[in-house]
Amino acid sequence: MKTLTKILGLAALLSVIACNDDFLERPPLDQVASEMFFEKPKDLETYVNQYYNATFFTKYANHGNDYDSDDLVGPTVNTRLAGTRPIVTSGSIGFGNVRSINYFMTHYKKIEALHEFDSYKQYVGEAYYFKAVTYFNLLRNYGDIQWLDVELGDTSPELYSPRTPRQIVADRIIGCLDTAAMYLTTEKTNGYERINKWIALLMQSRVALYEGTWQKYHNGTPFGVENADPNKYLTKAVEAAEQIIESGLYGIYNTGNPDEDYRNLFIQRDYTGSSEVMFWRKYDNNLSRGNSSFTNDRNFRMSQPLGRSISKSMIDDYLCTDGRAISGNALFQGYNTIVEEMENRDPRFRQTVASPDQVWKIQANGNVENWSTVFSRMNSNADLNAPTGYMIQKGYDPQVIYHIQQYGEEPAVIFRYAEVLLNYAEAKAELGDISQGDINKTVKLLRDRVGMPNIDIESIATDPDWDFSALPAIINEIRRERRIELVAEGFRWDDIARWAAADELIVGKRPKGFKASQIINKDEFPVDEDGFMDPYRNALKPTGNYDFKVDRDYLDCIPESQIVLNPENLTQNPGWR
């Protein structure tokens, strides 16, 4: 088998013959592959290699992801959150991968007379997986979207079909993942070559949880689904996650060091055989040095904040060490300094965010510098700008020997078992069927890693600052756990969207930071009336807060040029012109 690094290199070559992303303007099908291409299993492998790319396996970005949410704050305001996205007048919806995968589905059976199905079913399973993920991306962006199974030509009538209702699309995505799970290898593998059955089931739990909660919480809104059946999807999410749990192949990385294990999970040099990381991207300069697709320098970049940091609202969600929220809790030491804020708090706080007393760099000769060096110069220039003061260290290795510009070889975590546990717990809670046993085999494992108390369903303390006071306590706490455990990994916007939670979390708000008195040049940057850093105060106009449009911004605008080409059947999303 090729490593993912080799596969991605081959994918770059295949992109020359891959299909155009435009929905209605596409080259002839014979530019995808010749009629004689599929003659042996190796041909199928080579073809599906093109999908082992960043679209399907998004790496853990420098400083993490989630800049499109209330968790992270970047150098510029996110236009979706601000409600300032313009109408899209031209462009495509992005059916290129659908078209090329459908070509595969139409032609792969040419080899069945010459080869046993077992010799190539892995690649068929991969194709079903990639079709499912392609459509899940389209579903999240556009909602109702044309489901296409046929091999399309330039004049195919399917090009002008109406949008397929989202629940049908969701059902077919889940069906594709059922087929993928049936065909893909059941072996755990080394996690960076080819996907397996368990990755398909993880994705199925993700899709089903997304659709189930979307239908539940968007019911009665412009984004609601006719004849919604959220429990059908939530049940599927439970079943998919449970299969992974019961396989016994995966577990939570825990060496018994609660003050380091969470941080160390994200800075390992190799995840082969990892109990928790189910799929990862490997970087190897001996195979791909010089190819821009493989450039990686996370450690080099993260030694400075570069205009990226974590929001105060995210920080306030970290519980105290007694398992209770900070509001009214005597263990909470206040906001005067970040060191005081971290006292008596969930250890993931200190392992995610840097404080002056922590190690910043370990030189090759053993000399150590602390983050106090950066704090003393914070916001003195663009590289040292941390808009909120809460500098991100999740995923950062302080060993300078690994601080390599452009050609770092630190691997990127793609999928991990923690998500499986959280998907299971949330789906059970949404079904109203969660037990203490369910918590013990999911959330407890995450909290055990960092030495935090487990959730006791019968005695959850009320938090006056819960974001979702109208919802049951257990749902609030599982949502909090998800936010804490998965911060900066790219989940938060999807969570806000499927919960229809922008009105609670985004509208009329703007991100704040820590007490500005902690930095030397505090007078040069916006500070609110309570002394907290207020980075977007001047940038969010005219209201001064996020103006997310709850009747529009949960879905993207269909390019108007596409509607012009298919005016009878292609309708615009709610709220867009």
Side-chain angles (χ1 to χ4, degrees):
M1 288 186 177
K2 297 178 175 65
T3 65
L4 181 56
T5 305
K6 290 180 180 177
I7 290 171
L8 287 167
L10 181 57
L13 296 176
L14 284 171
S15 66
V16 175
I17 60 170
C19 54
N20 191 320
D21 273 346
D22 196 298
F23 177 35
L24 292 174
E25 298 179 5
R26 45 178 57 81
L29 279 176
D30 59 7
Q31 293 184 19
V32 178
S34 72
E35 286 297 317
M36 299 302 294
F37 184 80
F38 298 136
E39 297 178 341
K40 54 187 180 299
K42 192 68 175 178
D43 296 336
L44 305 188
E45 178 188 9
T46 300
Y47 191 91
V48 296
N49 281 349
Q50 68 182 292
Y51 306 115
Y52 281 85
N53 58 44
T55 296
F56 295 98
F57 302 102
T58 304
K59 75 170 187 173
Y60 189 92
N62 298 337
H63 300 87
N65 302 327
D66 290 333
Y67 293 96
D68 54 356
S69 76
D70 57 341
D71 279 3
L72 270 58
V73 179
T76 59
V77 176
N78 181 273
T79 56
R80 184 201 298 271
L81 304 184
T84 57
R85 291 191 297 170
I87 291 171
V88 179
T89 57
S90 62
S92 65
I93 296 174
F95 279 85
N97 285 329
V98 173
R99 175 176 172 268
S100 64
I101 293 170
N102 283 351
Y103 179 89
F104 177 96
M105 297 297 191
T106 301
H107 293 283
Y108 82 83
K109 292 184 179 180
K110 289 180 179 181
I111 72 172
E112 66 182 4
L114 301 174
H115 302 275
E116 293 292 330
F117 183 62
D118 282 352
S119 68
Y120 60 85
K121 69 178 183 179
Q122 169 72 21
Y123 314 119
V124 177
E126 290 179 25
Y128 276 101
Y129 173 86
F130 292 124
K131 182 164 185 176
V133 176
T134 296
Y135 263 106
F136 183 45
N137 291 335
L138 292 169
L139 181 78
R140 290 183 301 146
N141 291 337
Y142 299 110
D144 299 350
I145 198 74
Q146 293 97 324
W147 184 275
L148 303 170
D149 279 322
V150 299
E151 179 184 345
L152 297 172
D154 292 334
T155 59
S156 298
E158 290 84 2
L159 294 174
Y160 302 93
S161 61
R163 300 172 69 175
T164 306
R166 69 172 294 139
Q167 64 268 41
I168 295 177
V169 175
D171 288 345
R172 291 177 179 173
I173 292 171
I174 289 170
C176 282
L177 291 168
D178 277 331
T179 303
M182 180 170 58
Y183 292 158
L184 292 170
T185 179
T186 60
E187 294 180 10
K188 184 178 178 182
T189 74
N190 59 22
Y192 65 85
E193 293 182 332
R194 309 206 80 87
I195 58 172
N196 58 26
K197 170 181 180 176
W198 315 109
I199 299 300
L201 290 173
L202 181 154
M203 184 58 64
Q204 189 176 74
S205 75
R206 183 187 293 185
V207 171
L209 179 63
Y210 189 98
E211 186 61 20
T213 48
W214 181 284
Q215 291 193 18
K216 180 175 181 177
Y217 291 105
H218 283 281
N219 190 35
T221 77
F223 308 100
V225 173
E226 187 176 353
N227 299 317
D229 188 5
N231 285 1
K232 177 179 75 172
Y233 299 99
L234 295 170
T235 300
K236 189 66 173 179
V238 169
E239 292 171 351
E242 194 164 39
Q243 286 188 66
I244 304 172
I245 294 169
E246 292 182 350
S247 76
L249 291 173
Y250 301 99
I252 293 301
Y253 173 78
N254 186 347
T255 71
N257 186 349
D259 294 324
E260 294 291 339
D261 279 345
Y262 181 75
R263 184 182 73 88
N264 288 342
L265 170 64
F266 299 96
I267 62 171
Q268 294 176 29
R269 304 296 295 176
D270 192 306
Y271 291 102
T272 304
S274 170
S275 62
E276 181 166 351
V277 176
M278 298 173 65
F279 204 79
W280 54 289
R281 175 182 282 188
K282 183 176 183 178
Y283 290 85
D284 188 337
N285 288 331
N286 292 324
L287 294 175
S288 56
R289 187 177 178 87
N291 185 334
S292 61
S293 299
F294 299 95
T295 57
N296 190 38
D297 53 4
R298 184 173 72 237
N299 289 322
F300 176 83
R301 298 296 176 188
M302 288 188 71
S303 62
Q304 297 176 313
L306 300 179
R308 295 164 174 83
S309 52
I310 294 181
S311 70
K312 179 179 178 292
S313 75
M314 168 67 216
I315 298 301
D316 284 346
D317 251 357
Y318 285 104
L319 298 170
C320 290
T321 51
D322 62 355
R324 295 171 179 261
I326 63 174
S327 182
N329 195 324
L331 290 177
F332 179 54
Q333 299 298 299
Y335 296 107
N336 286 333
T337 70
I338 190 170
V339 174
E340 290 180 0
E341 272 196 86
M342 289 180 173
E343 287 292 325
N344 305 324
R345 302 286 289 281
D346 185 326
R348 284 173 290 190
F349 182 178
R350 189 173 174 85
Q351 295 174 62
T352 300
V353 178
S355 67
D357 59 331
Q358 292 178 302
V359 174
W360 173 44
K361 289 183 177 181
I362 304 172
Q363 302 292 343
N365 62 7
N367 290 341
V368 174
E369 296 178 79
N370 285 349
W371 279 97
S372 56
T373 301
V374 181
F375 274 86
S376 67
R377 300 171 56 205
M378 184 183 290
N379 292 0
S380 62
N381 61 49
D383 288 348
L384 295 173
N385 180 27
T388 68
Y390 297 112
M391 292 187 291
I392 304 162
Q393 68 165 336
K394 180 177 177 179
Y396 169 73
D397 190 334
Q399 297 184 76
V400 174
I401 59 171
Y402 299 135
H403 292 201
I404 301 169
Q405 186 172 9
Q406 190 173 11
Y407 297 115
E409 292 182 303
E410 53 269 25
V413 174
I414 308 296
F415 299 123
R416 63 186 182 101
Y417 184 59
E419 182 197 348
V420 175
L421 301 182
L422 290 164
N423 290 352
Y424 179 89
E426 184 182 344
K428 291 282 282 188
E430 291 289 356
L431 286 165
D433 187 34
I434 193 165
S435 67
Q436 188 63 49
D438 295 325
I439 291 294
N440 292 346
K441 71 180 184 182
T442 56
V443 174
K444 183 178 186 296
L445 301 182
L446 302 175
R447 292 196 173 189
D448 282 350
R449 169 169 39 206
V450 293
M452 283 292 289
N454 189 23
I455 294 176
D456 183 344
I457 290 180
E458 300 301 324
S459 61
I460 297 176
T462 299
D463 180 359
D465 295 323
W466 272 332
D467 290 319
F468 311 101
S469 57
L471 296 180
I474 187 60
I475 290 181
N476 273 280
E477 287 307 314
I478 288 173
R479 289 186 178 186
R480 185 205 301 271
E481 190 69 22
R482 185 177 180 90
R483 187 182 195 188
I484 296 300
E485 178 66 27
L486 301 179
V487 63
E489 295 181 50
F491 289 92
R492 184 63 173 175
W493 165 250
D494 281 349
D495 290 346
I496 292 172
R498 64 188 177 85
W499 296 334
D503 52 342
E504 291 101 339
L505 302 176
I506 305 299
V507 177
K509 301 177 185 292
R510 65 177 182 266
K512 301 292 182 69
F514 67 16
K515 279 293 183 74
S517 57
Q518 298 175 77
I519 61 175
I520 294 174
N521 53 346
K522 57 184 179 297
D523 296 331
E524 299 179 24
F525 298 91
V527 178
D528 75 4
E529 60 276 11
D530 297 315
F532 293 101
M533 295 178 71
D534 195 357
Y536 287 170
R537 185 185 66 192
N538 299 328
L540 288 168
K541 298 178 180 179
T543 65
N545 293 308
Y546 286 139
D547 193 25
F548 179 96
K549 305 295 190 296
V550 295
D551 58 351
R552 184 193 74 176
D553 286 329
Y554 282 115
L555 293 176
D556 291 347
C557 178
I558 299 290
E560 290 190 327
S561 59
Q562 299 299 307
I563 297 175
V564 169
L565 292 171
N566 186 13
E568 294 185 8
N569 289 321
L570 188 57
T571 56
Q572 186 54 273
N573 273 329
W576 298 98
R577 189 172 64 198

